[in-house]
Amino acid sequence: MTPLTLCMIVKFPPIQGGVSQQSYWLAHNLARAGHRIHVVTNALEAASDYRMFLPAAERRHLEGEYPGGGFVRLHASDEAGLEGNYIPYANPYVSKLAALARDVVREHACDLIWAAYLEPYGVAAALASKLTGVPYAVRHAGSDIAGLAQLPARQNLYLDVFRHASLVITAPFLRPTLERAGIPHAHMFAVPLAAYASAGFQPDGPALDVDALLDESAAERGPWPRPTRRFDPALPTIGIYGKVSDYKGMFEVVAALGELAAAGRRFNLLTLVGAHGPGPAALQQAIARAGIAESTYALPFLPHWMVPRFIRTCAAVCFLENRFPIAIHTPQVGFEVLACGRCLIVSEEVRSKTQRRADLVDGVHAFVVDDPADVAQVRRALTRVIDDPAGAQRIGVRGREFVAGRFTAPDVSAVVTRLRRTIEEAKAMSLEGLQQTLSELYADPALRAALATDEGALRGRDLDDRERAAVLELARRLMPQVERFGQMLVHKRLDYFLELFGATAPHLRAHEAAVRERFAREFDFRWRPPAEDVAYFGEFLRRLLVAPWPAHLGDLVRYDECLWRAETTDDAAAPPFERLLDMRIAEPPGLGATVLTPEDRVALAPGVIVERFDHPVHRLVAEGPGARVEPAATVIAFTPRRGATAARAHVMNEELVRLATAAGDGRLVAALLDEAAARHADRPAEAVQRAALQALQLLGERHVLMRGPLQRLR
């Protein structure tokens, strides 16, 4: 298949930060897959506060040539000779990036423009797309959509950047808000995390040569003094990295380490927080006040591919983000630490944003600090690492198991498939301007057939004689194109529906021709909201999937419908676009990590769907079309999306179903335990009650149950 040629207008090294990191890995992962990537960036103009230090031996990694012909090439703006060209002067980033992108797109025949971050990259992409006719995709970050895009003076511009994009890269929980702002559901896409993955985040690999790096970066370390003693890797090393802010818990880590040093404990503090600006300066002053300057080794920002080496140099890394003002901010630092097999000291706020929060257990996979603003809590976690490095190492190993599969080999296949479809759709949309002029002809094959022989087919429509003649002339001259375009719309709509039915779709691929032929005969071209689309396509599939189609396909259709209902149950609570800054991501109803006792009351959490299937649909979803299919009664509880916590499917045995349904609107745990013991009277009552209590705890941590009776609205 022909490789893609993309123009990516993005943050890129040496700009530091999460968007820059993910853009870097995505570009190189696409190139490794054989695609041609032209990166347009203003990264070389980044101010020192946000610019990473590139060691001489590392600069070659910015670009790359890969087997199969894929490559990453950098096209960077500069500021030379521009000062004072107009008044009032400001660095014209949008103009410079759009001009560079225009030339790159035309010179290299790019298929699509990809932008990450609204300002200036998304705005520049919209302009370059308009100038070249090439479609663009725009990705937002949490901070720019909930901060920058909330500025009233520019909000309409940013919304138009989204509305005119052929593809908007977003998070699923923001879908209802963006739909309300006029962005079609079919134009939204969530990039799988594997596309941003780096195989470098592994437990095995080199660590940093701290002293050599301090020597090479001496001119880049700003106000940070260098300790008189050399770095001692035999001492427990505590690491912190990222931008300095009052929300990261870094100052509390410093204060806690100061107390531990005063108590006689020895350690290294290794920082990767930058060297310039008010944040690093304030942290350096805090380190001096804490009396640990001689134990602190401060590095400037380093390129993303060196971060795994930094993590592997540490016994533990602290990521204590708390009270972060933008609720939809979902950082990846904790996952990087876990992937490298090092002990993570993490805030409860960060843990609460993970999809598998209940599985990340304090003292097993990481050390969790409930409130990092409490220095005593931070000190206790650090003490456990410094006093027992071997124990911290064991926690790091178990933490690695928690993220197993997330930081495996990069996979851009889903991104490439979606980009190819977007590119093809954009080409078809421009064909002779037909979509706007002849939209009804596309949607109605009977009208097309009638117009071929009967001019009266337009009778009764709100057209004057000239307009009627123009439509007839266009229809007859361009009927082959109209027919092809009508077929394309049918295929496009079917692809959209299959995306909504992600569990069922892979099992239909072997019969794709039959599915498309039947869909083309029955599709009515009506617009519906996504929830109604799911119901419409579910009914279509039920009419289609009768004998001799395999019986398990009907179960997969119901599985997709339940998952969609669970995923959209919270849509009504989605804030409008202009109120995103007010969004608060609350923990879904459940128990969290708190221990359940017989004196507690539990209830079935609101929105939970319990569905019975005749086949093991969870295994069919996991293993795909190649799975062996045997009938087996299966019960699944679907927990709804709450904020950023996605809907999930949980396989239940009959005992779990009895416990969950018995909880109903609210029951005393002790009563549920007694009922379980009565159901299993042939076994020791104490053992049954203990197992039932553990099962109730599990159901609560999975958000199937919640503590206390469900409060009914009066």
PDB file of all heavy atoms in Angstrom, residues 8-28:
ATOM      1  N   MET A   8       3.309  17.494   9.621  1.00  0.00           N
ATOM      2  CA  MET A   8       2.911  17.607  11.016  1.00  0.00           C
ATOM      3  C   MET A   8       3.359  18.966  11.556  1.00  0.00           C
ATOM      4  O   MET A   8       4.557  19.238  11.635  1.00  0.00           O
ATOM      5  CB  MET A   8       3.514  16.473  11.836  1.00  0.00           C
ATOM      6  CG  MET A   8       3.022  15.091  11.436  1.00  0.00           C
ATOM      7  SD  MET A   8       3.707  13.757  12.463  1.00  0.00           S
ATOM      8  CE  MET A   8       2.920  14.100  14.046  1.00  0.00           C
ATOM      9  N   ILE A   9       2.403  19.820  11.894  1.00  0.00           N
ATOM     10  CA  ILE A   9       2.699  21.131  12.484  1.00  0.00           C
ATOM     11  C   ILE A   9       2.519  20.976  13.991  1.00  0.00           C
ATOM     12  O   ILE A   9       1.381  20.967  14.493  1.00  0.00           O
ATOM     13  CB  ILE A   9       1.767  22.227  11.926  1.00  0.00           C
ATOM     14  CG1 ILE A   9       1.684  22.154  10.394  1.00  0.00           C
ATOM     15  CG2 ILE A   9       2.227  23.592  12.372  1.00  0.00           C
ATOM     16  CD1 ILE A   9       0.725  23.166   9.780  1.00  0.00           C
ATOM     17  N   VAL A  10       3.615  20.865  14.716  1.00  0.00           N
ATOM     18  CA  VAL A  10       3.521  20.409  16.106  1.00  0.00           C
ATOM     19  C   VAL A  10       4.630  21.001  16.969  1.00  0.00           C
ATOM     20  O   VAL A  10       5.653  21.471  16.475  1.00  0.00           O
ATOM     21  CB  VAL A  10       3.630  18.864  16.177  1.00  0.00           C
ATOM     22  CG1 VAL A  10       2.430  18.184  15.561  1.00  0.00           C
ATOM     23  CG2 VAL A  10       4.917  18.366  15.512  1.00  0.00           C
ATOM     24  N   LYS A  11       4.386  20.930  18.283  1.00  0.00           N
ATOM     25  CA  LYS A  11       5.492  21.061  19.230  1.00  0.00           C
ATOM     26  C   LYS A  11       6.411  19.863  19.035  1.00  0.00           C
ATOM     27  O   LYS A  11       5.941  18.738  18.821  1.00  0.00           O
ATOM     28  CB  LYS A  11       4.968  21.052  20.669  1.00  0.00           C
ATOM     29  CG  LYS A  11       4.318  22.327  21.133  1.00  0.00           C
ATOM     30  CD  LYS A  11       3.996  22.229  22.625  1.00  0.00           C
ATOM     31  CE  LYS A  11       3.420  23.524  23.150  1.00  0.00           C
ATOM     32  NZ  LYS A  11       3.116  23.446  24.590  1.00  0.00           N
ATOM     33  N   PHE A  12       7.703  20.086  19.169  1.00  0.00           N
ATOM     34  CA  PHE A  12       8.674  19.031  18.884  1.00  0.00           C
ATOM     35  C   PHE A  12       9.930  19.367  19.669  1.00  0.00           C
ATOM     36  O   PHE A  12      10.167  20.539  19.997  1.00  0.00           O
ATOM     37  CB  PHE A  12       8.966  19.005  17.368  1.00  0.00           C
ATOM     38  CG  PHE A  12       9.378  17.666  16.825  1.00  0.00           C
ATOM     39  CD1 PHE A  12       8.456  16.648  16.685  1.00  0.00           C
ATOM     40  CD2 PHE A  12      10.689  17.424  16.437  1.00  0.00           C
ATOM     41  CE1 PHE A  12       8.818  15.420  16.163  1.00  0.00           C
ATOM     42  CE2 PHE A  12      11.065  16.205  15.914  1.00  0.00           C
ATOM     43  CZ  PHE A  12      10.125  15.192  15.766  1.00  0.00           C
ATOM     44  N   PRO A  13      10.729  18.375  20.016  1.00  0.00           N
ATOM     45  CA  PRO A  13      12.000  18.711  20.663  1.00  0.00           C
ATOM     46  C   PRO A  13      12.794  19.688  19.791  1.00  0.00           C
ATOM     47  O   PRO A  13      12.752  19.577  18.564  1.00  0.00           O
ATOM     48  CB  PRO A  13      12.715  17.362  20.760  1.00  0.00           C
ATOM     49  CG  PRO A  13      11.596  16.358  20.701  1.00  0.00           C
ATOM     50  CD  PRO A  13      10.546  16.942  19.825  1.00  0.00           C
ATOM     51  N   PRO A  14      13.476  20.671  20.430  1.00  0.00           N
ATOM     52  CA  PRO A  14      13.796  20.762  21.856  1.00  0.00           C
ATOM     53  C   PRO A  14      12.765  21.457  22.739  1.00  0.00           C
ATOM     54  O   PRO A  14      13.102  21.828  23.866  1.00  0.00           O
ATOM     55  CB  PRO A  14      15.111  21.539  21.848  1.00  0.00           C
ATOM     56  CG  PRO A  14      15.026  22.418  20.647  1.00  0.00           C
ATOM     57  CD  PRO A  14      14.291  21.617  19.613  1.00  0.00           C
ATOM     58  N   ILE A  15      11.504  21.675  22.285  1.00  0.00           N
ATOM     59  CA  ILE A  15      10.469  22.106  23.219  1.00  0.00           C
ATOM     60  C   ILE A  15      10.178  20.933  24.150  1.00  0.00           C
ATOM     61  O   ILE A  15      10.031  19.797  23.697  1.00  0.00           O
ATOM     62  CB  ILE A  15       9.180  22.523  22.491  1.00  0.00           C
ATOM     63  CG1 ILE A  15       9.424  23.719  21.572  1.00  0.00           C
ATOM     64  CG2 ILE A  15       8.082  22.871  23.491  1.00  0.00           C
ATOM     65  CD1 ILE A  15       8.202  24.146  20.784  1.00  0.00           C
ATOM     66  N   GLN A  16      10.106  21.202  25.451  1.00  0.00           N
ATOM     67  CA  GLN A  16       9.797  20.130  26.392  1.00  0.00           C
ATOM     68  C   GLN A  16       8.285  20.068  26.614  1.00  0.00           C
ATOM     69  O   GLN A  16       7.543  20.953  26.209  1.00  0.00           O
ATOM     70  CB  GLN A  16      10.555  20.342  27.703  1.00  0.00           C
ATOM     71  CG  GLN A  16      10.320  21.658  28.394  1.00  0.00           C
ATOM     72  CD  GLN A  16       9.039  21.701  29.184  1.00  0.00           C
ATOM     73  OE1 GLN A  16       8.594  20.702  29.731  1.00  0.00           O
ATOM     74  NE2 GLN A  16       8.408  22.866  29.227  1.00  0.00           N
ATOM     75  N   GLY A  17       7.827  18.999  27.265  1.00  0.00           N
ATOM     76  CA  GLY A  17       6.413  18.873  27.590  1.00  0.00           C
ATOM     77  C   GLY A  17       5.767  17.655  26.961  1.00  0.00           C
ATOM     78  O   GLY A  17       6.318  17.020  26.053  1.00  0.00           O
ATOM     79  N   GLY A  18       4.557  17.330  27.445  1.00  0.00           N
ATOM     80  CA  GLY A  18       3.884  16.112  27.032  1.00  0.00           C
ATOM     81  C   GLY A  18       3.446  16.096  25.580  1.00  0.00           C
ATOM     82  O   GLY A  18       3.547  15.070  24.902  1.00  0.00           O
ATOM     83  N   VAL A  19       2.942  17.232  25.056  1.00  0.00           N
ATOM     84  CA  VAL A  19       2.505  17.266  23.658  1.00  0.00           C
ATOM     85  C   VAL A  19       3.701  17.110  22.726  1.00  0.00           C
ATOM     86  O   VAL A  19       3.635  16.401  21.715  1.00  0.00           O
ATOM     87  CB  VAL A  19       1.735  18.568  23.359  1.00  0.00           C
ATOM     88  CG1 VAL A  19       1.416  18.680  21.881  1.00  0.00           C
ATOM     89  CG2 VAL A  19       0.444  18.618  24.174  1.00  0.00           C
ATOM     90  N   SER A  20       4.806  17.753  23.061  1.00  0.00           N
ATOM     91  CA  SER A  20       6.031  17.604  22.275  1.00  0.00           C
ATOM     92  C   SER A  20       6.496  16.152  22.274  1.00  0.00           C
ATOM     93  O   SER A  20       6.890  15.595  21.241  1.00  0.00           O
ATOM     94  CB  SER A  20       7.118  18.518  22.844  1.00  0.00           C
ATOM     95  OG  SER A  20       8.368  18.255  22.248  1.00  0.00           O
ATOM     96  N   GLN A  21       6.452  15.528  23.451  1.00  0.00           N
ATOM     97  CA  GLN A  21       6.877  14.137  23.561  1.00  0.00           C
ATOM     98  C   GLN A  21       6.027  13.224  22.685  1.00  0.00           C
ATOM     99  O   GLN A  21       6.548  12.404  21.918  1.00  0.00           O
ATOM    100  CB  GLN A  21       6.778  13.685  25.019  1.00  0.00           C
ATOM    101  CG  GLN A  21       7.127  12.224  25.229  1.00  0.00           C
ATOM    102  CD  GLN A  21       6.601  11.705  26.541  1.00  0.00           C
ATOM    103  OE1 GLN A  21       5.449  11.936  26.890  1.00  0.00           O
ATOM    104  NE2 GLN A  21       7.430  11.009  27.279  1.00  0.00           N
ATOM    105  N   GLN A  22       4.695  13.363  22.786  1.00  0.00           N
ATOM    106  CA  GLN A  22       3.837  12.466  22.027  1.00  0.00           C
ATOM    107  C   GLN A  22       3.931  12.731  20.533  1.00  0.00           C
ATOM    108  O   GLN A  22       3.857  11.797  19.726  1.00  0.00           O
ATOM    109  CB  GLN A  22       2.401  12.590  22.526  1.00  0.00           C
ATOM    110  CG  GLN A  22       2.229  12.049  23.944  1.00  0.00           C
ATOM    111  CD  GLN A  22       0.785  11.983  24.378  1.00  0.00           C
ATOM    112  OE1 GLN A  22      -0.055  12.751  23.909  1.00  0.00           O
ATOM    113  NE2 GLN A  22       0.473  11.082  25.291  1.00  0.00           N
ATOM    114  N   SER A  23       4.111  13.990  20.142  1.00  0.00           N
ATOM    115  CA  SER A  23       4.298  14.285  18.715  1.00  0.00           C
ATOM    116  C   SER A  23       5.581  13.655  18.190  1.00  0.00           C
ATOM    117  O   SER A  23       5.622  13.139  17.063  1.00  0.00           O
ATOM    118  CB  SER A  23       4.328  15.805  18.494  1.00  0.00           C
ATOM    119  OG  SER A  23       3.077  16.382  18.804  1.00  0.00           O
ATOM    120  N   TYR A  24       6.621  13.676  19.008  1.00  0.00           N
ATOM    121  CA  TYR A  24       7.901  13.079  18.603  1.00  0.00           C
ATOM    122  C   TYR A  24       7.737  11.574  18.376  1.00  0.00           C
ATOM    123  O   TYR A  24       8.129  11.039  17.329  1.00  0.00           O
ATOM    124  CB  TYR A  24       8.961  13.345  19.670  1.00  0.00           C
ATOM    125  CG  TYR A  24      10.278  12.647  19.393  1.00  0.00           C
ATOM    126  CD1 TYR A  24      11.231  13.233  18.568  1.00  0.00           C
ATOM    127  CD2 TYR A  24      10.554  11.392  19.926  1.00  0.00           C
ATOM    128  CE1 TYR A  24      12.429  12.588  18.285  1.00  0.00           C
ATOM    129  CE2 TYR A  24      11.739  10.740  19.657  1.00  0.00           C
ATOM    130  CZ  TYR A  24      12.684  11.339  18.838  1.00  0.00           C
ATOM    131  OH  TYR A  24      13.869  10.686  18.560  1.00  0.00           O
ATOM    132  N   TRP A  25       7.148  10.883  19.370  1.00  0.00           N
ATOM    133  CA  TRP A  25       7.034   9.427  19.237  1.00  0.00           C
ATOM    134  C   TRP A  25       6.089   9.055  18.106  1.00  0.00           C
ATOM    135  O   TRP A  25       6.345   8.091  17.370  1.00  0.00           O
ATOM    136  CB  TRP A  25       6.561   8.821  20.554  1.00  0.00           C
ATOM    137  CG  TRP A  25       7.569   8.902  21.669  1.00  0.00           C
ATOM    138  CD1 TRP A  25       7.406   9.484  22.890  1.00  0.00           C
ATOM    139  CD2 TRP A  25       8.917   8.395  21.649  1.00  0.00           C
ATOM    140  NE1 TRP A  25       8.567   9.378  23.626  1.00  0.00           N
ATOM    141  CE2 TRP A  25       9.503   8.709  22.895  1.00  0.00           C
ATOM    142  CE3 TRP A  25       9.682   7.710  20.711  1.00  0.00           C
ATOM    143  CZ2 TRP A  25      10.812   8.368  23.229  1.00  0.00           C
ATOM    144  CZ3 TRP A  25      10.991   7.371  21.034  1.00  0.00           C
ATOM    145  CH2 TRP A  25      11.539   7.686  22.267  1.00  0.00           C
ATOM    146  N   LEU A  26       5.000   9.797  17.935  1.00  0.00           N
ATOM    147  CA  LEU A  26       4.074   9.486  16.849  1.00  0.00           C
ATOM    148  C   LEU A  26       4.753   9.650  15.499  1.00  0.00           C
ATOM    149  O   LEU A  26       4.620   8.792  14.611  1.00  0.00           O
ATOM    150  CB  LEU A  26       2.840  10.386  16.936  1.00  0.00           C
ATOM    151  CG  LEU A  26       1.796  10.199  15.822  1.00  0.00           C
ATOM    152  CD1 LEU A  26       1.226   8.784  15.852  1.00  0.00           C
ATOM    153  CD2 LEU A  26       0.677  11.226  15.950  1.00  0.00           C
ATOM    154  N   ALA A  27       5.492  10.742  15.315  1.00  0.00           N
ATOM    155  CA  ALA A  27       6.180  10.964  14.041  1.00  0.00           C
ATOM    156  C   ALA A  27       7.136   9.829  13.731  1.00  0.00           C
ATOM    157  O   ALA A  27       7.162   9.291  12.611  1.00  0.00           O
ATOM    158  CB  ALA A  27       6.921  12.308  14.078  1.00  0.00           C
ATOM    159  N   HIS A  28       7.942   9.434  14.707  1.00  0.00           N
ATOM    160  CA  HIS A  28       8.936   8.381  14.460  1.00  0.00           C
ATOM    161  C   HIS A  28       8.281   7.002  14.352  1.00  0.00           C
ATOM    162  O   HIS A  28       8.759   6.158  13.580  1.00  0.00           O
ATOM    163  CB  HIS A  28      10.013   8.415  15.541  1.00  0.00           C
ATOM    164  CG  HIS A  28      11.009   9.519  15.328  1.00  0.00           C
ATOM    165  ND1 HIS A  28      12.185   9.343  14.629  1.00  0.00           N
ATOM    166  CD2 HIS A  28      10.988  10.826  15.681  1.00  0.00           C
ATOM    167  CE1 HIS A  28      12.855  10.484  14.583  1.00  0.00           C
ATOM    168  NE2 HIS A  28      12.150  11.400  15.211  1.00  0.00           N
TER     169      HIS A  28
END
